[in-house]
Amino acid sequence: MTETIVGLEIHVELKTESKMFCSCASQFAKAPNTLCCPICMGLPGALPRVNERAAELGALAGRALHSQMQPISRFDRKQYFYPDLPKGYQITQHAYPLCRGGYLRLPETGRKISIAEMHLEEDAGKIIHRDGKSYVDLNRCGVPLLEIVTEPVLSGGEEAAAFLTLLRDTLIAAGVTTGKMQEGAMRVDVNVSLRQDGVRPGPRTEMKNLSSFRAVRAAIDHEAERQRALLQRGESIPGETRRWDERGGFSVSLRKKEGEMDYRYFPEPDLPPLRLDVHRIEKMYAACPELPESIQMRLLSMPGMTPDKAAQLARQPGLLRCFDTAFAAAPDAKKLLNWLLGDYRAIARKQGLDPAAPPFSPAQFACLMQRALTENLSYQETRTGLEEICRTK
Ligand code: ZN
Ligand code: MN
């Protein structure tokens, strides 16, 4: 039997006002090259300084993912040349990352997806190709990133997408990132290899910078198939970096996979080791709302709940509060879901209300649901009651 083995590297933009090592604003879609300074462009003599807020958000993400924050971490230089990286190197964390270990448990299957480590780094700029010319925009240089590296434990495109969805929801709920995929706030590199009959996995191929979960899923499944076909023909699988063509639904070889030696990592001489206060991170974590993993595990233990509905509630705190309050008064998950995700949504659409933020209070909704249950209200009576509490306030 041939198993597909997938590991992910996820770059998450941290939600800060300023960049990782300077005070330039960290914003999307401003006029090109208006948000950069000698520090984020790495001009000679410029000295970086760590954005403490970014480091704290990274550690908070680690806490949310059950990862161990390291009391001391360190920055390293990763050398490579690219036109959108004028420094000629990226400041990242290599030997001593911010957090080690961790996991997220997929509520639907109960599978624990292990995380190897998480580190802080800076983003590069952007190259724009237009009318046969190439332009460079350095606004994104130095934007704070958290890179999350999973163990190679995911079983294919579907599980990778489920993990990424939960990861994104978790980091948004913790206030670590905007999670806006269309603005590149989350970018995914996938590593795919095959394992035959439980022996050592074969060489892996990497596809970088996928910007939608649909692309991640398609790229992984396509790559696993391509490798299977090579093996069946008795050919070997070269370890390489490939480019996923989302429109065409195929990948092409870019280059032989670079080894660690190629980057010539060494300790960043301009930055001291990073020390964070564990108590401060614990305080930030305590101030977070209940996170999606825990919400979904809790909801899924209720009869009548489906993984999809649990995920929908976890993503919409306003609806979840109504659900939780009403469940205490009228513990029929299936009915409550029908009213909240079915009827309320329909009413919201008709009356131009926000389907995620009902105009009624959790107590009002709970009261109606309790009456429906104890007074045996008909569907029409309950519906009228719901329409009424949509008009109050
Ligand atoms: Zn700057
Ligand atoms: Mn990286």
Side-chain angles (χ1 to χ4, degrees):
M1 205 189 83
T2 317
E3 253 180 290
T4 306
I5 302 174
V6 180
L8 303 174
E9 290 163 30
I10 305 120
H11 288 92
V12 178
E13 262 182 23
L14 295 167
K15 210 163 99 184
T16 55
E17 297 286 320
S18 56
K19 292 188 180 179
M20 189 70 223
F21 301 113
C22 65
S23 55
C24 291
S26 181
Q27 281 169 6
F28 181 74
K30 291 284 176 247
N33 300 306
T34 53
L35 305 175
C36 39
C37 73
I39 297 172
C40 51
M41 295 191 299
L43 298 189
L47 287 176
R49 239 184 86 181
V50 174
N51 178 342
E52 222 167 283
R53 176 74 186 156
E56 286 173 355
L57 287 178
L60 176 62
R63 182 66 178 82
L65 304 178
H66 317 285
S67 185
Q68 283 296 315
M69 183 182 101
Q70 306 298 295
I72 299 181
S73 62
R74 196 187 71 192
F75 291 96
D76 296 285
R77 283 191 186 179
K78 181 180 186 180
Q79 331 287 327
Y80 62 97
F81 174 77
Y82 220 61
D84 59 6
L85 185 73
K87 284 218 274 281
Y89 61 86
Q90 177 194 34
I91 305 180
T92 179
Q93 297 187 307
H94 181 62
Y96 298 93
L98 179 69
C99 299
R100 291 184 197 271
Y103 66 89
L104 266 184
R105 196 183 284 280
L106 300 181
E108 194 168 345
T109 55
R111 279 247 301 155
K112 221 167 161 175
I113 307 305
S114 301
I115 291 160
E117 57 119 310
M118 305 168 60
H119 60 260
L120 295 166
E121 60 186 35
E122 57 178 341
D123 212 341
K126 246 188 245 175
I127 301 172
I128 299 137
H129 305 283
R130 197 190 295 147
D131 309 327
K133 287 185 182 157
S134 294
Y135 301 85
V136 64
D137 175 9
L138 300 179
N139 281 355
R140 212 176 58 185
C141 277
V143 164
L145 294 179
L146 180 71
E147 182 172 339
I148 302 168
V149 184
T150 75
E151 298 285 0
V153 289
L154 292 146
S155 61
E158 189 182 349
E159 189 165 58
F163 170 77
L164 288 168
T165 304
L166 181 62
L167 178 72
R168 178 170 175 269
D169 289 347
T170 303
L171 297 178
I172 291 174
V176 166
T177 182
T178 65
K180 289 183 183 162
M181 309 285 295
Q182 67 281 12
E183 296 185 0
M186 208 170 158
R187 278 132 38 205
V188 186
D189 302 347
V190 302
N191 285 289
V192 181
S193 61
L194 295 181
R195 176 161 54 199
Q196 281 182 300
D197 301 316
V199 295
R200 223 150 50 89
R204 62 197 171 102
T205 59
E206 181 174 41
M207 286 171 286
K208 283 179 185 285
N209 266 322
L210 300 167
S211 59
S212 78
F213 297 164
R214 191 161 34 141
V216 167
R217 196 174 170 157
I220 290 172
D221 290 341
H222 184 274
E223 177 58 16
E225 275 317 303
R226 193 188 67 84
Q227 291 187 13
R228 273 195 179 84
L230 282 176
L231 286 184
Q232 262 157 24
R233 289 202 299 270
E235 292 172 40
S236 64
I237 300 162
E240 60 186 351
T241 300
R242 301 180 67 84
R243 184 179 64 81
W244 174 247
D245 185 305
E246 193 174 357
R247 265 206 212 145
F250 60 86
S251 65
V252 286
S253 178
L254 282 181
R255 55 182 181 265
K256 194 177 122 282
K257 206 163 161 26
E258 54 284 89
E260 219 162 72
M261 282 303 286
D262 299 332
Y263 291 123
R264 302 279 160 188
Y265 286 100
F266 69 84
E268 167 59 55
D270 290 336
L271 288 169
L274 177 68
R275 289 165 214 264
L276 290 178
D277 180 1
V278 184
H279 300 292
R280 212 181 127 67
I281 306 303
E282 278 307 313
K283 253 195 185 154
M284 288 169 74
Y285 181 68
C288 287
E290 187 186 9
L291 296 178
E293 181 188 41
S294 137
I295 296 171
Q296 291 183 50
M297 298 299 278
R298 172 165 76 71
L299 293 178
L300 277 174
S301 65
M302 299 172 177
M305 186 65 67
T306 63
D308 173 58
K309 286 183 172 143
Q312 285 187 48
L313 282 181
R315 228 171 274 140
Q316 303 175 85
L319 292 182
L320 178 65
R321 269 193 300 278
C322 288
F323 178 86
D324 281 338
T325 311
F327 191 81
D332 184 337
K334 202 167 173 188
K335 268 212 178 109
L336 296 178
L337 289 170
N338 282 341
W339 285 113
L340 271 182
L341 299 177
D343 288 78
Y344 169 63
R345 275 217 184 129
I347 294 169
R349 220 169 316 160
K350 230 193 280 163
Q351 304 189 2
L353 301 165
D354 180 354
F360 45 79
S361 71
Q364 278 177 306
F365 180 68
C367 180
L368 175 67
M369 290 297 113
Q370 190 177 27
R371 280 188 51 208
L373 190 75
T374 54
E375 296 170 28
N376 236 331
L377 299 187
S378 70
Y379 169 77
Q380 200 45 55
E381 287 168 322
T382 315
R383 170 88 185 204
T384 307
L386 187 64
E387 281 166 3
E388 246 160 56
I389 59 172
C390 281
R391 273 195 295 272
T392 55
K393 215 183 184 180

